């Protein structure tokens, strides 16, 4: 599949991209295993220094663990014991070591093997391969990203956020679990991203949102491996900045704080949407706004599900882009075809 670089001539990506299992598997190998994924914020486990998690659950399913030493240094490690493959850490806790409960092997918080009972007489042991594997990470504004083999550069877009939103106080952000949600969507992950990447649908789908923003102020900027959209309210004040980071991360900045959408593929027609809420202070967020975001989410999911049904039609293969409104989708499709 190729997407013409001239949006005025280009056709959208072929519908087989959303329906083919082989293309889906190829996108996982060529895209998601090469991406940086958001996995941690400093407020996730304030009272613990060991935080196990699964990297892209139901997709890649890699057991990992984040540790924090006495100097507040964060490290991301494989959470699989180098002896027999047992999981090392099973829940968040506070400890000065990692210990496998299968045979008692322990590791330092940096992943180095510390104690290995029962291995007297074993030659050439321990080796570096007996340590837990350390994964690369980006620690940006108290958010941590990691990946299996991350090759897709996201640093320029993170720098763009920091430079553009210089007055945004990232240090005050805290994760509010009660205001966060997980949605399960019966649709292809890329269709959800496409809907996010254009404001063209807003007047037709989101009536309440349309009454709050100045739709003529809605702008889209193409960034390196990302897209920025922003709009003003009826009083010509900033309403929000919406950053999409290829392929599946969405950072939405408001005056009250930040909401993050993480789109996790499961299959060709199933996705999981993690909606994470980070207020700046307890008083900064009117909880009615979260209800409005949920309402917008439901409206978006309805249209995405209808597209999921439509792209299976024998009468549809691809369409054309709106030059004025859909350059974000055009760029997304170019990136998809670049890697797939």
């Amino acid at each position: 599949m190729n997407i013409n670089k001239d949006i005025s001539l280009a056709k959208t990506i072929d519908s087989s991209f959303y329906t083919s299992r082989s293309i889906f598997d190829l996108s996982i190998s060529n895209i998601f295993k090469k991406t940086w994924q958001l996995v941690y914020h400093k407020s996730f486990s304030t009272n613990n220094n060991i935080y196990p998690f699964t990297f892209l659950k139901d997709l890649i399913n890699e057991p990992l663990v984040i540790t924090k030493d006495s100097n507040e240094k964060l490290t991301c490690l494989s959470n699989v014991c180098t002896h027999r493959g047992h999981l090392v850490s099973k829940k968040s806790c506070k400890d000065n070591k990692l210990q496998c409960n299968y045979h008692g092997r322990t590791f330092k918080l940096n992943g180095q093997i510390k104690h290995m009972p029962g291995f007297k007489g074993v030659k050439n042991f321990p080796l570096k391969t007996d340590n837990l594997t350390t994964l690369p990470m980006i620690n940006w504004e108290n958010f941590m990203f990691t990946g299996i083999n991350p090759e897709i550069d996201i640093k320029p877009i993170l720098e763009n956020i920091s430079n553009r939103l210089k007055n945004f106080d990232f240090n005050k952000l805290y994760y509010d679990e009660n205001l966060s949600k997980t949605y399960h969507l019966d649709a292809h992950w890329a269709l959800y991203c496409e809907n996010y990447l254009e404001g063209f649908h807003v007047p037709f789908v989101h009536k309440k949102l349309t009454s709050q923003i100045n739709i003529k102020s809605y702008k889209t900027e193409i960034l390196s491996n990302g897209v920025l959209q922003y709009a003003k309210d009826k009083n010509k004040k900033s309403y929000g900045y919406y950053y999409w980071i290829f392929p599946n991360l969405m950072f939405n900045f408001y005056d009250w704080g930040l909401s993050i959408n993480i789109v996790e593929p499961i299959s060709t027609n199933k996705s999981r949407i993690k909606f994470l809420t980070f207020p700046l202070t307890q008083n900064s967020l009117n909880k009615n706004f979260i209800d409005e975001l949920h309402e917008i989410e439901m409206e978006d999911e309805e249209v995405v599900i209808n597209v999921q049904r439509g792209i299976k039609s024998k009468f549809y293969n691809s369409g054309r882009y709106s030059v004025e409104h859909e350059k974000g989708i055009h760029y997304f499709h170019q990136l998809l075809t670049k890697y797939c």
Side-chain angles (χ1 to χ4, degrees):
M1 301 182 202
N2 290 307
I3 304 297
N4 195 314
K5 293 183 179 179
D6 185 345
I7 189 174
S8 67
L9 297 173
K11 289 185 176 181
T12 61
I13 201 166
D14 191 271
S15 60
S16 62
F17 178 84
Y18 313 101
T19 59
S20 168
R21 180 69 201 195
S22 61
I23 294 177
F24 178 83
D25 292 341
L26 187 65
S27 71
I28 302 311
S29 296
N30 291 0
I31 297 177
F32 280 89
K33 288 185 178 180
K34 297 180 179 179
T35 61
W36 292 95
Q37 293 293 318
L38 174 65
V39 296
Y40 184 81
H41 182 261
K42 71 171 186 177
S43 63
F44 276 9
S45 55
T46 53
N47 297 320
N48 297 313
N49 65 333
I50 295 174
Y51 177 79
F53 66 98
T54 302
F55 185 85
L56 289 177
K57 184 180 178 182
D58 299 320
L59 186 70
I60 295 177
N61 280 318
E62 186 64 41
L64 302 177
V65 61
I66 292 171
T67 64
K68 181 169 59 176
D69 65 18
S70 58
N71 295 317
E72 301 293 312
K73 180 182 178 181
L74 293 172
T75 305
C76 187
L77 303 164
S78 168
N79 194 26
V80 176
C81 183
T82 52
H83 174 211
R84 293 269 297 280
H86 192 275
L87 293 185
V88 178
S89 180
K90 292 183 286 185
K91 62 181 181 179
S92 294
C93 62
K94 188 173 184 63
D95 207 337
N96 60 4
K97 65 181 182 302
L98 296 163
Q99 182 170 30
C100 177
N101 292 329
Y102 195 6
H103 298 98
R105 179 172 291 190
T106 60
F107 303 87
K108 297 178 182 178
L109 293 177
N110 63 4
Q112 291 181 356
I113 192 167
K114 182 178 181 180
H115 182 58
M116 41 281 181
F119 272 69
K120 184 178 181 180
V122 177
K123 297 179 180 179
N124 300 322
F125 178 85
L127 300 174
K128 288 184 178 180
T129 52
D130 293 300
N131 298 328
L132 298 176
T133 298
T134 302
L135 280 78
M137 70 175 200
I138 296 174
N139 196 343
W140 170 81
E141 303 287 5
N142 301 315
F143 290 96
M144 181 174 160
F145 302 79
T146 193
I148 303 302
N149 184 29
E151 297 179 3
I152 300 171
D153 189 10
I154 66 170
K155 289 184 179 179
I157 192 169
L158 296 179
E159 291 174 0
N160 184 285
I161 298 174
S162 296
N163 292 333
R164 187 182 293 263
L165 304 181
K166 291 181 179 179
N167 295 325
F168 191 87
D169 196 345
F170 285 91
N171 289 321
K172 288 185 178 179
L173 289 176
Y174 71 96
Y175 175 59
D176 192 323
E177 184 176 5
N178 294 326
L179 296 179
S180 301
K181 299 177 181 289
T182 298
Y183 301 94
H184 297 276
L185 179 64
D186 291 333
H188 193 281
W189 69 273
L191 294 177
Y192 185 93
C193 292
E194 290 169 9
N195 180 72
Y196 179 88
L197 285 168
E198 50 92 350
F200 192 14
H201 70 279
V202 172
F204 307 99
V205 177
H206 306 305
K207 302 302 182 183
K208 184 175 291 187
L209 178 60
T210 302
S211 70
Q212 296 172 347
I213 67 172
N214 179 355
I215 197 66
K216 292 183 178 180
S217 72
Y218 204 103
K219 305 294 182 184
T220 301
E221 294 183 14
I222 304 301
L223 307 172
S224 176
N225 291 321
V227 173
L228 165 63
Q229 300 171 89
Y230 52 92
K232 294 181 179 180
D233 63 18
K234 298 294 186 179
N235 296 318
K236 297 183 178 181
K237 295 182 179 179
S238 174
Y239 183 84
Y241 289 87
Y242 310 99
Y243 279 91
W244 169 78
I245 302 175
F246 182 73
N248 65 323
L249 303 179
M250 302 160 184
F251 283 63
N252 312 297
F253 293 91
Y254 304 99
D255 57 0
W256 56 262
L258 170 66
S259 71
I260 297 176
N261 288 24
I262 304 176
V263 187
E264 298 184 341
I266 297 175
S267 67
T268 56
N269 60 358
K270 289 190 180 296
S271 306
R272 178 171 47 246
I273 317 299
K274 291 182 177 178
F275 181 91
L276 311 180
T277 302
F278 294 85
L280 286 165
T281 66
Q282 291 183 346
N283 298 322
S284 66
L285 174 55
N286 181 345
K287 291 180 174 55
N288 290 333
F289 193 83
I290 293 296
D291 293 335
E292 291 181 15
L293 290 181
H294 173 74
E295 182 178 333
I296 292 171
E297 177 70 22
M298 292 298 95
E299 293 168 345
D300 281 330
E301 290 192 10
E302 181 179 358
V303 297
V304 171
I305 288 172
N306 278 315
V307 176
Q308 176 70 31
R309 294 169 180 161
I311 50 95
K312 296 179 181 178
S313 169
K314 63 182 178 180
F315 301 113
Y316 180 85
N317 289 315
S318 61
R320 297 293 298 275
Y321 299 99
S322 164
V323 175
E324 183 180 1
H325 299 289
E326 295 182 324
K327 59 184 179 180
I329 298 177
H330 179 242
Y331 181 57
F332 178 39
H333 287 175
Q334 287 180 291
L335 289 174
L336 290 176
T337 55
K338 173 183 176 181
Y339 290 101
C340 291

